[in-house]
mmCIF file of all heavy atoms in Angstrom:
data_model
loop_
_atom_site.group_PDB
_atom_site.id
_atom_site.type_symbol
_atom_site.label_atom_id
_atom_site.label_comp_id
_atom_site.label_asym_id
_atom_site.label_seq_id
_atom_site.Cartn_x
_atom_site.Cartn_y
_atom_site.Cartn_z
ATOM 1 N N GLY M 162 18.813 25.693 21.754
ATOM 2 C CA GLY M 162 18.022 26.931 21.732
ATOM 3 C C GLY M 162 17.509 27.343 23.105
ATOM 4 O O GLY M 162 17.555 28.521 23.399
ATOM 5 N N LEU M 163 17.099 26.368 23.849
ATOM 6 C CA LEU M 163 16.545 26.721 25.197
ATOM 7 C C LEU M 163 17.616 27.076 26.176
ATOM 8 O O LEU M 163 17.595 28.057 26.871
ATOM 9 C CB LEU M 163 15.722 25.548 25.695
ATOM 10 C CG LEU M 163 14.351 25.310 24.995
ATOM 11 C CD1 LEU M 163 13.718 24.051 25.377
ATOM 12 C CD2 LEU M 163 13.375 26.495 25.327
ATOM 13 N N LEU M 164 18.665 26.180 26.236
ATOM 14 C CA LEU M 164 19.695 26.337 27.209
ATOM 15 C C LEU M 164 20.554 27.614 27.050
ATOM 16 O O LEU M 164 21.079 28.155 27.997
ATOM 17 C CB LEU M 164 20.581 25.140 27.235
ATOM 18 C CG LEU M 164 19.986 23.834 27.718
ATOM 19 C CD1 LEU M 164 20.938 22.655 27.533
ATOM 20 C CD2 LEU M 164 19.627 23.928 29.196
ATOM 21 N N VAL M 165 20.603 28.083 25.778
ATOM 22 C CA VAL M 165 21.409 29.296 25.525
ATOM 23 C C VAL M 165 20.403 30.472 25.350
ATOM 24 O O VAL M 165 20.699 31.564 25.816
ATOM 25 C CB VAL M 165 22.312 29.086 24.290
ATOM 26 C CG1 VAL M 165 23.066 30.359 24.055
ATOM 27 C CG2 VAL M 165 23.235 27.934 24.512
ATOM 28 N N GLY M 166 19.365 30.197 24.701
ATOM 29 C CA GLY M 166 18.470 31.303 24.334
ATOM 30 C C GLY M 166 17.815 31.901 25.545
ATOM 31 O O GLY M 166 17.676 33.188 25.602
ATOM 32 N N ILE M 167 17.337 31.138 26.496
ATOM 33 C CA ILE M 167 16.699 31.725 27.649
ATOM 34 C C ILE M 167 17.651 32.580 28.446
ATOM 35 O O ILE M 167 17.303 33.728 28.808
ATOM 36 C CB ILE M 167 15.929 30.614 28.470
ATOM 37 C CG1 ILE M 167 14.829 30.011 27.666
ATOM 38 C CG2 ILE M 167 15.460 31.193 29.805
ATOM 39 C CD1 ILE M 167 14.071 28.927 28.336
ATOM 40 N N PRO M 168 18.801 32.064 28.845
ATOM 41 C CA PRO M 168 19.767 32.952 29.586
ATOM 42 C C PRO M 168 20.120 34.178 28.801
ATOM 43 O O PRO M 168 20.223 35.266 29.360
ATOM 44 C CB PRO M 168 20.974 32.010 29.776
ATOM 45 C CG PRO M 168 20.524 30.644 29.715
ATOM 46 C CD PRO M 168 19.327 30.698 28.785
ATOM 47 N N VAL M 169 20.286 34.083 27.517
ATOM 48 C CA VAL M 169 20.663 35.213 26.711
ATOM 49 C C VAL M 169 19.471 36.255 26.755
ATOM 50 O O VAL M 169 19.640 37.470 26.955
ATOM 51 C CB VAL M 169 20.909 34.836 25.242
ATOM 52 C CG1 VAL M 169 20.893 36.059 24.350
ATOM 53 C CG2 VAL M 169 22.261 34.123 25.140
ATOM 54 N N GLY M 170 18.310 35.721 26.665
ATOM 55 C CA GLY M 170 17.132 36.617 26.742
ATOM 56 C C GLY M 170 16.996 37.288 28.064
ATOM 57 O O GLY M 170 16.669 38.517 28.181
ATOM 58 N N ILE M 171 17.309 36.569 29.165
ATOM 59 C CA ILE M 171 17.217 37.153 30.479
ATOM 60 C C ILE M 171 18.305 38.214 30.633
ATOM 61 O O ILE M 171 18.038 39.311 31.116
ATOM 62 C CB ILE M 171 17.424 36.050 31.542
ATOM 63 C CG1 ILE M 171 16.266 35.013 31.527
ATOM 64 C CG2 ILE M 171 17.620 36.613 32.904
ATOM 65 C CD1 ILE M 171 16.521 33.767 32.365
ATOM 66 N N VAL M 172 19.534 37.934 30.185
ATOM 67 C CA VAL M 172 20.580 38.917 30.268
ATOM 68 C C VAL M 172 20.208 40.204 29.497
ATOM 69 O O VAL M 172 20.358 41.282 29.982
ATOM 70 C CB VAL M 172 21.906 38.357 29.720
ATOM 71 C CG1 VAL M 172 22.931 39.403 29.488
ATOM 72 C CG2 VAL M 172 22.470 37.262 30.672
ATOM 73 N N CYS M 173 19.672 40.050 28.303
ATOM 74 C CA CYS M 173 19.284 41.197 27.528
ATOM 75 C C CYS M 173 18.220 41.928 28.190
ATOM 76 O O CYS M 173 18.211 43.213 28.187
ATOM 77 C CB CYS M 173 18.743 40.741 26.135
ATOM 78 S SG CYS M 173 19.979 40.095 25.022
ATOM 79 N N ALA M 174 17.239 41.331 28.835
ATOM 80 C CA ALA M 174 16.158 42.045 29.547
ATOM 81 C C ALA M 174 16.723 42.710 30.743
ATOM 82 O O ALA M 174 16.344 43.908 30.980
ATOM 83 C CB ALA M 174 15.069 41.028 29.901
ATOM 84 N N VAL M 175 17.529 42.050 31.494
ATOM 85 C CA VAL M 175 18.026 42.615 32.816
ATOM 86 C C VAL M 175 19.004 43.752 32.493
ATOM 87 O O VAL M 175 18.983 44.803 33.150
ATOM 88 C CB VAL M 175 18.665 41.525 33.585
ATOM 89 C CG1 VAL M 175 19.504 42.124 34.773
ATOM 90 C CG2 VAL M 175 17.626 40.527 34.166
ATOM 91 N N LYS M 176 19.777 43.605 31.516
ATOM 92 C CA LYS M 176 20.737 44.701 31.117
ATOM 93 C C LYS M 176 20.276 45.421 29.863
ATOM 94 O O LYS M 176 21.063 45.569 28.894
ATOM 95 C CB LYS M 176 22.127 44.086 30.899
ATOM 96 C CG LYS M 176 22.710 43.499 32.176
ATOM 97 C CD LYS M 176 24.157 43.124 31.971
ATOM 98 C CE LYS M 176 24.755 42.438 33.216
ATOM 99 N NZ LYS M 176 24.886 43.283 34.368
ATOM 100 N N GLN M 177 19.047 45.772 29.916
ATOM 101 C CA GLN M 177 18.452 46.423 28.722
ATOM 102 C C GLN M 177 19.250 47.695 28.330
ATOM 103 O O GLN M 177 19.594 48.456 29.191
ATOM 104 C CB GLN M 177 16.975 46.801 29.026
ATOM 105 C CG GLN M 177 16.228 47.270 27.802
ATOM 106 C CD GLN M 177 14.836 47.806 28.110
ATOM 107 O OE1 GLN M 177 14.534 47.981 29.266
ATOM 108 N NE2 GLN M 177 14.064 48.014 27.117
ATOM 109 N N ASN M 178 19.478 47.758 26.970
ATOM 110 C CA ASN M 178 20.208 48.898 26.431
ATOM 111 C C ASN M 178 21.603 49.034 26.793
ATOM 112 O O ASN M 178 22.214 50.053 26.590
ATOM 113 C CB ASN M 178 19.424 50.226 26.744
ATOM 114 C CG ASN M 178 18.104 50.271 26.033
ATOM 115 O OD1 ASN M 178 17.903 49.677 24.974
ATOM 116 N ND2 ASN M 178 17.130 50.905 26.631
#
Side-chain angles (χ1 to χ4, degrees):
Chain M
L163 288 169
L164 290 172
V165 180
I167 292 178
V169 164
I171 294 172
V172 166
C173 287
V175 166
K176 295 189 183 293
Q177 189 186 10
N178 293 330

